[in-house]
Amino acid sequence: NKRRFVDYVGQVDADSKLLLGSNFDQAFIREHTDRDFEALVFKNRVADFSVSDGVISTNCRTISTLLCGVALVMGAQRIFVVGMDGYIGLDTAGCVHWYEEADETTDPEFILEKHHSNYHYLDQINEYGLARGIEGIHILTPTGYAKFYKGISNYLELAVTG
């Protein structure tokens, strides 16, 4: 995540607020940007998902899954996700992602465990939201997390016919 921060922080719209992991220290951040930012508040551990006083109980293993929980803490009523490929069940020609990621492991056991862990957290986050009257998680692009895949075309048709 630090590599991506360094690569892309300059491309974030000036009107956007940066949300950065609390594991990014101030010196590292200031080395790469002078922009205002807000630290994501979560416990950096693997545990079941819950929220207490605005603090998420777990790191959710991956930032994309954690950000679904952050969206709930920030008051989202519906969560749309794009680009959460998943790690199994898609024809990616042996790759972990739809794109080439040089520093990503290719160990099949680790990849499978990561996929199941993400599914577990997505389920917990979704159930947490549903129990509070929130619509839930909608993944709009092809994904290995089939339970949450809704497809963008469903929403485009609603916009045209609605």
Side-chain angles (χ1 to χ4, degrees):
N1 292 330
K2 286 184 176 182
R3 179 183 51 79
R4 287 193 178 116
F5 171 75
V6 171
D7 290 347
Y8 299 112
V9 69
Q11 298 177 30
V12 178
D13 187 275
D15 292 332
S16 297
K17 179 124 185 188
L18 295 175
L19 298 174
L20 302 177
S22 54
N23 56 324
F24 285 23
D25 63 51
Q26 186 83 356
F28 172 78
I29 295 166
R30 291 298 166 224
E31 182 180 334
H32 300 285
T33 187
D34 60 356
R35 302 237 342 238
D36 288 338
F37 68 92
E38 185 173 329
L40 300 174
V41 184
F42 62 95
K43 293 186 178 178
N44 195 12
R45 65 180 185 185
V46 176
D48 284 338
F49 180 87
S50 65
V51 178
S52 178
D53 295 324
V55 177
I56 296 173
S57 62
T58 177
N59 61 19
C60 296
R61 292 275 321 270
T62 63
I63 190 65
S64 55
T65 306
L66 175 63
L67 287 174
C68 291
V70 168
L72 292 179
V73 171
M74 293 179 76
Q77 294 299 306
R78 175 182 311 141
I79 300 171
F80 291 112
V81 179
V82 296
M84 188 181 279
D85 304 350
Y87 299 95
I88 62 172
L90 299 174
D91 181 17
T92 56
C95 297
V96 175
H97 299 291
W98 290 100
Y99 53 89
E100 190 68 32
E101 190 73 86
D103 60 355
E104 190 75 46
T105 183
T106 58
D107 175 25
E109 287 181 29
F110 179 81
I111 292 167
L112 186 60
E113 194 279 326
K114 191 173 177 181
H115 178 85
H116 291 304
S117 177
N118 281 349
Y119 227 135
H120 170 76
Y121 282 117
L122 288 170
D123 266 335
Q124 286 189 338
I125 294 164
N126 195 61
E127 289 303 317
Y128 180 92
L130 292 174
R132 287 153 182 80
I134 296 165
E135 189 173 307
I137 297 172
H138 306 270
I139 301 179
L140 304 180
T141 52
T143 182
Y145 305 112
K147 177 179 179 178
F148 302 101
Y149 178 60
K150 307 297 191 286
I152 187 95
S153 61
N154 291 314
Y155 300 94
L156 294 176
E157 290 172 15
L158 284 174
V160 172
T161 61

Short mmCIF file of all heavy atoms in Angstrom, two decimals, residues 65 68-69 72 78-81 84 121-123 125-127 130 134-139 147-150 155:
data_model
loop_
_atom_site.label_atom_id
_atom_site.label_comp_id
_atom_site.label_asym_id
_atom_site.label_seq_id
_atom_site.Cartn_x
_atom_site.Cartn_y
_atom_site.Cartn_z
N THR A 65 -11.22 -4.55 1.44
CA THR A 65 -12.25 -5.05 2.35
C THR A 65 -12.42 -4.11 3.54
O THR A 65 -13.55 -3.79 3.93
CB THR A 65 -11.90 -6.48 2.81
OG1 THR A 65 -11.66 -7.29 1.65
CG2 THR A 65 -13.00 -7.09 3.63
N CYS A 68 -14.65 -1.13 2.90
CA CYS A 68 -16.10 -1.37 2.96
C CYS A 68 -16.59 -1.08 4.38
O CYS A 68 -17.64 -0.46 4.58
CB CYS A 68 -16.44 -2.80 2.56
SG CYS A 68 -16.18 -3.16 0.81
N GLY A 69 -15.83 -1.53 5.38
CA GLY A 69 -16.17 -1.23 6.77
C GLY A 69 -16.05 0.25 7.08
O GLY A 69 -16.88 0.82 7.79
N LEU A 72 -19.09 2.17 6.10
CA LEU A 72 -20.18 2.08 7.09
C LEU A 72 -19.95 3.04 8.25
O LEU A 72 -20.88 3.74 8.67
CB LEU A 72 -20.30 0.65 7.63
CG LEU A 72 -20.78 -0.41 6.66
CD1 LEU A 72 -20.82 -1.77 7.35
CD2 LEU A 72 -22.14 -0.06 6.10
N ARG A 78 -25.30 2.61 1.37
CA ARG A 78 -25.15 1.62 0.30
C ARG A 78 -23.67 1.66 -0.09
O ARG A 78 -23.08 2.73 -0.15
CB ARG A 78 -26.02 2.04 -0.87
CG ARG A 78 -25.91 1.23 -2.10
CD ARG A 78 -26.78 1.76 -3.23
NE ARG A 78 -28.13 2.02 -2.81
CZ ARG A 78 -28.85 3.06 -3.21
NH1 ARG A 78 -28.36 3.94 -4.05
NH2 ARG A 78 -30.08 3.24 -2.78
N ILE A 79 -23.09 0.50 -0.35
CA ILE A 79 -21.66 0.44 -0.70
C ILE A 79 -21.52 -0.18 -2.08
O ILE A 79 -21.90 -1.33 -2.30
CB ILE A 79 -20.87 -0.40 0.32
CG1 ILE A 79 -21.00 0.22 1.72
CG2 ILE A 79 -19.40 -0.50 -0.09
CD1 ILE A 79 -20.46 -0.64 2.82
N PHE A 80 -21.00 0.62 -3.02
CA PHE A 80 -20.67 0.13 -4.36
C PHE A 80 -19.16 -0.09 -4.43
O PHE A 80 -18.39 0.77 -4.00
CB PHE A 80 -21.07 1.16 -5.43
CG PHE A 80 -22.55 1.32 -5.58
CD1 PHE A 80 -23.17 2.50 -5.22
CD2 PHE A 80 -23.34 0.30 -6.10
CE1 PHE A 80 -24.54 2.67 -5.36
CE2 PHE A 80 -24.71 0.44 -6.24
CZ PHE A 80 -25.31 1.63 -5.87
N VAL A 81 -18.77 -1.24 -4.96
CA VAL A 81 -17.35 -1.59 -5.06
C VAL A 81 -17.05 -1.93 -6.52
O VAL A 81 -17.82 -2.65 -7.17
CB VAL A 81 -17.03 -2.82 -4.17
CG1 VAL A 81 -15.56 -3.21 -4.28
CG2 VAL A 81 -17.41 -2.54 -2.72
N MET A 84 -12.74 -5.20 -7.24
CA MET A 84 -12.40 -6.21 -6.23
C MET A 84 -12.52 -7.58 -6.90
O MET A 84 -13.54 -8.25 -6.82
CB MET A 84 -13.33 -6.10 -5.01
CG MET A 84 -12.89 -6.99 -3.87
SD MET A 84 -13.99 -6.91 -2.43
CE MET A 84 -13.44 -5.42 -1.64
N TYR A 121 -14.76 -11.55 5.75
CA TYR A 121 -14.92 -10.16 6.19
C TYR A 121 -16.03 -9.44 5.43
O TYR A 121 -16.79 -8.67 6.02
CB TYR A 121 -13.60 -9.38 6.08
CG TYR A 121 -12.67 -9.70 7.22
CD1 TYR A 121 -11.44 -10.30 6.99
CD2 TYR A 121 -13.03 -9.42 8.53
CE1 TYR A 121 -10.58 -10.59 8.04
CE2 TYR A 121 -12.19 -9.73 9.59
CZ TYR A 121 -10.96 -10.31 9.33
OH TYR A 121 -10.13 -10.61 10.38
N LEU A 122 -16.13 -9.69 4.12
CA LEU A 122 -17.23 -9.08 3.37
C LEU A 122 -18.58 -9.51 3.95
O LEU A 122 -19.50 -8.70 4.09
CB LEU A 122 -17.14 -9.43 1.88
CG LEU A 122 -16.02 -8.77 1.11
CD1 LEU A 122 -15.89 -9.39 -0.28
CD2 LEU A 122 -16.24 -7.26 1.01
N ASP A 123 -18.70 -10.80 4.28
CA ASP A 123 -19.93 -11.31 4.91
C ASP A 123 -20.21 -10.59 6.23
O ASP A 123 -21.33 -10.15 6.49
CB ASP A 123 -19.82 -12.81 5.18
CG ASP A 123 -20.38 -13.66 4.07
OD1 ASP A 123 -21.27 -13.19 3.33
OD2 ASP A 123 -19.94 -14.81 3.94
N ILE A 125 -19.05 -7.66 7.33
CA ILE A 125 -19.35 -6.24 7.11
C ILE A 125 -20.76 -6.07 6.56
O ILE A 125 -21.52 -5.20 7.01
CB ILE A 125 -18.29 -5.61 6.18
CG1 ILE A 125 -16.93 -5.59 6.88
CG2 ILE A 125 -18.70 -4.22 5.73
CD1 ILE A 125 -15.76 -5.35 5.94
N ASN A 126 -21.12 -6.92 5.61
CA ASN A 126 -22.46 -6.85 5.03
C ASN A 126 -23.53 -7.10 6.10
O ASN A 126 -24.51 -6.36 6.19
CB ASN A 126 -22.57 -7.86 3.89
CG ASN A 126 -23.77 -7.62 3.02
OD1 ASN A 126 -23.91 -6.58 2.40
ND2 ASN A 126 -24.66 -8.61 2.96
N GLU A 127 -23.34 -8.12 6.90
CA GLU A 127 -24.31 -8.44 7.97
C GLU A 127 -24.38 -7.31 9.00
O GLU A 127 -25.46 -6.96 9.47
CB GLU A 127 -23.95 -9.76 8.66
CG GLU A 127 -24.20 -10.98 7.79
CD GLU A 127 -25.64 -11.10 7.30
OE1 GLU A 127 -26.57 -10.87 8.12
OE2 GLU A 127 -25.84 -11.39 6.12
N LEU A 130 -26.48 -4.64 7.27
CA LEU A 130 -27.89 -5.03 7.14
C LEU A 130 -28.61 -4.96 8.48
O LEU A 130 -29.77 -4.54 8.54
CB LEU A 130 -27.99 -6.43 6.53
CG LEU A 130 -27.54 -6.59 5.07
CD1 LEU A 130 -27.56 -8.06 4.66
CD2 LEU A 130 -28.41 -5.74 4.15
N ILE A 134 -28.82 -0.79 6.60
CA ILE A 134 -28.06 -0.33 5.44
C ILE A 134 -28.24 -1.35 4.32
O ILE A 134 -28.34 -2.55 4.56
CB ILE A 134 -26.58 -0.14 5.82
CG1 ILE A 134 -26.48 0.97 6.86
CG2 ILE A 134 -25.73 0.17 4.62
CD1 ILE A 134 -25.16 1.02 7.57
N GLU A 135 -28.27 -0.87 3.10
CA GLU A 135 -28.60 -1.73 1.96
C GLU A 135 -27.60 -2.87 1.74
O GLU A 135 -27.97 -3.95 1.31
CB GLU A 135 -28.68 -0.88 0.69
CG GLU A 135 -29.22 -1.62 -0.49
CD GLU A 135 -29.44 -0.71 -1.66
OE1 GLU A 135 -30.13 0.32 -1.51
OE2 GLU A 135 -28.91 -1.03 -2.74
N GLY A 136 -26.35 -2.66 1.98
CA GLY A 136 -25.37 -3.73 1.83
C GLY A 136 -24.31 -3.43 0.79
O GLY A 136 -24.22 -2.34 0.26
N ILE A 137 -23.51 -4.45 0.51
CA ILE A 137 -22.37 -4.33 -0.41
C ILE A 137 -22.80 -4.77 -1.80
O ILE A 137 -23.40 -5.83 -1.97
CB ILE A 137 -21.19 -5.20 0.08
CG1 ILE A 137 -20.69 -4.68 1.44
CG2 ILE A 137 -20.07 -5.22 -0.94
CD1 ILE A 137 -19.66 -5.58 2.10
N HIS A 138 -22.45 -3.97 -2.80
CA HIS A 138 -22.74 -4.26 -4.20
C HIS A 138 -21.43 -4.18 -4.98
O HIS A 138 -20.88 -3.09 -5.14
CB HIS A 138 -23.71 -3.23 -4.80
CG HIS A 138 -24.98 -3.07 -4.03
ND1 HIS A 138 -26.09 -3.82 -4.28
CD2 HIS A 138 -25.29 -2.25 -2.99
CE1 HIS A 138 -27.05 -3.45 -3.45
NE2 HIS A 138 -26.59 -2.51 -2.66
N ILE A 139 -20.92 -5.32 -5.46
CA ILE A 139 -19.73 -5.30 -6.31
C ILE A 139 -20.21 -5.23 -7.75
O ILE A 139 -20.98 -6.06 -8.20
CB ILE A 139 -18.83 -6.52 -6.06
CG1 ILE A 139 -18.39 -6.56 -4.59
CG2 ILE A 139 -17.62 -6.48 -6.99
CD1 ILE A 139 -17.51 -7.74 -4.21
N LYS A 147 -21.41 -13.78 -4.26
CA LYS A 147 -22.55 -13.40 -3.42
C LYS A 147 -22.83 -11.90 -3.49
O LYS A 147 -23.97 -11.47 -3.35
CB LYS A 147 -22.26 -13.81 -1.97
CG LYS A 147 -23.32 -13.42 -0.98
CD LYS A 147 -22.95 -13.90 0.41
CE LYS A 147 -24.00 -13.51 1.43
NZ LYS A 147 -23.65 -14.03 2.77
N PHE A 148 -21.81 -11.10 -3.73
CA PHE A 148 -21.94 -9.64 -3.70
C PHE A 148 -21.96 -9.02 -5.10
O PHE A 148 -22.14 -7.82 -5.23
CB PHE A 148 -20.81 -9.02 -2.88
CG PHE A 148 -20.79 -9.55 -1.48
CD1 PHE A 148 -19.88 -10.52 -1.10
CD2 PHE A 148 -21.71 -9.12 -0.54
CE1 PHE A 148 -19.88 -11.04 0.19
CE2 PHE A 148 -21.72 -9.62 0.75
CZ PHE A 148 -20.80 -10.59 1.11
N TYR A 149 -21.78 -9.85 -6.13
CA TYR A 149 -21.71 -9.32 -7.50
C TYR A 149 -23.11 -8.97 -8.00
O TYR A 149 -24.00 -9.80 -8.04
CB TYR A 149 -21.07 -10.33 -8.44
CG TYR A 149 -21.01 -9.87 -9.87
CD1 TYR A 149 -20.32 -8.72 -10.21
CD2 TYR A 149 -21.65 -10.57 -10.88
CE1 TYR A 149 -20.26 -8.28 -11.53
CE2 TYR A 149 -21.59 -10.15 -12.20
CZ TYR A 149 -20.90 -9.01 -12.51
OH TYR A 149 -20.84 -8.58 -13.81
N LYS A 150 -23.30 -7.71 -8.35
CA LYS A 150 -24.58 -7.25 -8.87
C LYS A 150 -24.47 -6.86 -10.34
O LYS A 150 -25.45 -6.88 -11.04
CB LYS A 150 -25.09 -6.04 -8.06
CG LYS A 150 -25.15 -6.26 -6.57
CD LYS A 150 -26.12 -7.33 -6.15
CE LYS A 150 -26.40 -7.38 -4.68
NZ LYS A 150 -25.40 -7.89 -3.81
N TYR A 155 -27.65 -1.36 -12.67
CA TYR A 155 -27.82 0.01 -12.24
C TYR A 155 -27.94 0.97 -13.42
O TYR A 155 -28.63 1.96 -13.32
CB TYR A 155 -26.67 0.41 -11.30
CG TYR A 155 -26.66 -0.48 -10.08
CD1 TYR A 155 -25.86 -1.61 -10.04
CD2 TYR A 155 -27.51 -0.23 -9.01
CE1 TYR A 155 -25.89 -2.46 -8.95
CE2 TYR A 155 -27.55 -1.08 -7.92
CZ TYR A 155 -26.74 -2.19 -7.90
OH TYR A 155 -26.78 -3.03 -6.82
#
